Amino acid sequence: MAVESERVGMRTVQRAIDILQLFDEGRPALSIREIATESGLPKTTVLRLLGTLRLNGLLWLDEHGRHLAGPALLRWSRLAEQAWRLPPAAGVILRELATEHGETVHLHVRRDIRRICIAQEEGPQSLRQVVRIGDELPLWAGGVSRALLLDAPEALLCRVAGTSPYGAAHLETLRARIEEARALGYATSHGEYEEGLSAVAVPVRGRDGAPAAALSFGGPSTRFTDERVRRFADGLRAAARELSLVGLPFEG
């Protein structure tokens, strides 16, 4: 009975998290009907979970009766910002990299089968790739993903491939692209997520030698010529070595 109770409790927590994840910058406020439809949960379950989330300040009601992010998330946001803030020396490395090469720099970490942008330094170009801090993307494509998956176990690669539009058959392509990145010492991608966008990425190694993060340039493919890609890769590798020495906040 204790095991079943624990299972029910975990399911309830996951459902509450799933509801919170329905909100984003494009849809900051949602009605009960929208939440029920998007979550696929029974309306009675949705009402119970929404009541609990409101009670704890994680959701709030606007003047139209729609739900939006609650004030308690402000405290959590400050805690996350503090925990994931880069050391000053790391910020300098990213700024110098963006200035020297004229492209926007991103730093990503892996969360299970997705990657999250934790830092960004915009380049001087008016036309640039927009990736906001906190944005998540799947790992099945992109140079950044391959830099993060260089030492990934087979089981993880299978799960990542299964999330792609091509299904499990994408595993061979994923393996081949990771091996290419390993041989080159950097990973590239051109138009894999969005037509006209390219990226160059390298791993930032943690204390155990495994990829703790991925450092990358991203921007319009027209600026990512073979010659510039090689220069980008050299700059990224040097900066990644410096970041490894400085240390990353989530490694303690």
Side-chain angles (χ1 to χ4, degrees):
M1 184 172 293
V3 173
E4 179 61 25
S5 177
E6 182 179 353
R7 186 180 298 113
V8 171
M10 291 176 62
R11 185 167 65 245
T12 299
V13 171
Q14 185 60 56
R15 285 174 169 176
I17 292 172
D18 290 343
I19 286 177
L20 291 175
Q21 289 180 334
L22 295 176
F23 296 83
D24 57 33
E25 291 184 351
R27 297 190 305 172
L30 295 171
S31 67
I32 293 175
R33 177 180 294 180
E34 289 172 324
I35 293 171
T37 300
E38 293 289 332
S39 67
L41 296 173
K43 188 175 180 180
T44 53
T45 301
V46 169
L47 289 172
R48 185 175 68 253
L49 291 171
L50 291 177
T52 301
L53 291 169
R54 288 197 307 272
L55 183 64
N56 288 276
L58 300 177
L59 288 179
W60 204 257
L61 287 175
D62 67 10
E63 66 272 22
H64 304 293
R66 297 175 304 179
H67 286 78
L68 67 161
L73 291 174
L74 292 172
R75 182 175 66 88
W76 289 12
S77 176
R78 289 197 306 272
L79 290 172
E81 196 278 332
Q82 180 180 348
W84 289 84
R85 185 187 302 131
L86 294 182
V92 171
I93 293 169
L94 265 61
R95 286 194 294 275
E96 291 180 346
L97 195 60
T99 300
E100 179 183 354
H101 293 275
E103 295 292 348
T104 298
V105 181
H106 302 109
L107 188 67
H108 282 79
V109 296
R110 181 177 71 82
R111 182 182 71 83
D112 194 30
I113 57 174
R114 299 181 71 80
R115 58 180 169 96
I116 303 175
C117 180
I118 62 166
Q120 173 184 257
E121 188 64 41
E122 292 188 353
Q125 306 275 9
S126 57
L127 183 61
R128 54 180 177 259
Q129 182 182 14
V130 178
V131 178
R132 295 159 299 198
I133 294 175
D135 278 357
E136 291 193 22
L137 287 170
L139 281 172
W140 61 266
V144 173
S145 297
R146 294 194 277 280
L148 289 170
L149 291 172
L150 279 174
D151 297 341
E154 184 73 5
L156 176 59
L157 295 183
C158 289
R159 292 175 58 222
V160 169
T163 65
S164 77
Y166 317 104
H170 186 61
L171 179 59
E172 290 304 317
T173 299
L174 187 60
R175 283 199 197 112
R177 288 174 175 171
I178 290 172
E179 288 308 312
E180 179 185 37
R182 196 189 316 280
L184 290 173
Y186 60 91
T188 61
S189 60
H190 302 284
E192 291 182 19
Y193 279 125
E194 186 174 341
E195 188 67 31
L197 290 180
S198 292
V200 183
V202 301
V204 179
R205 300 281 178 177
R207 293 186 182 89
D208 60 358
L215 185 65
S216 67
F217 284 124
S221 296
T222 53
R223 297 204 298 262
F224 281 62
T225 62
D226 290 346
E227 181 182 351
R228 292 198 80 203
V229 163
R230 287 190 290 270
R231 289 206 306 270
F232 290 161
D234 289 341
L236 288 168
R237 281 191 294 242
R241 288 193 291 271
E242 292 183 56
L243 285 175
S244 293
L245 293 174
V246 168
L248 298 171
F250 46 88
E251 285 201 293

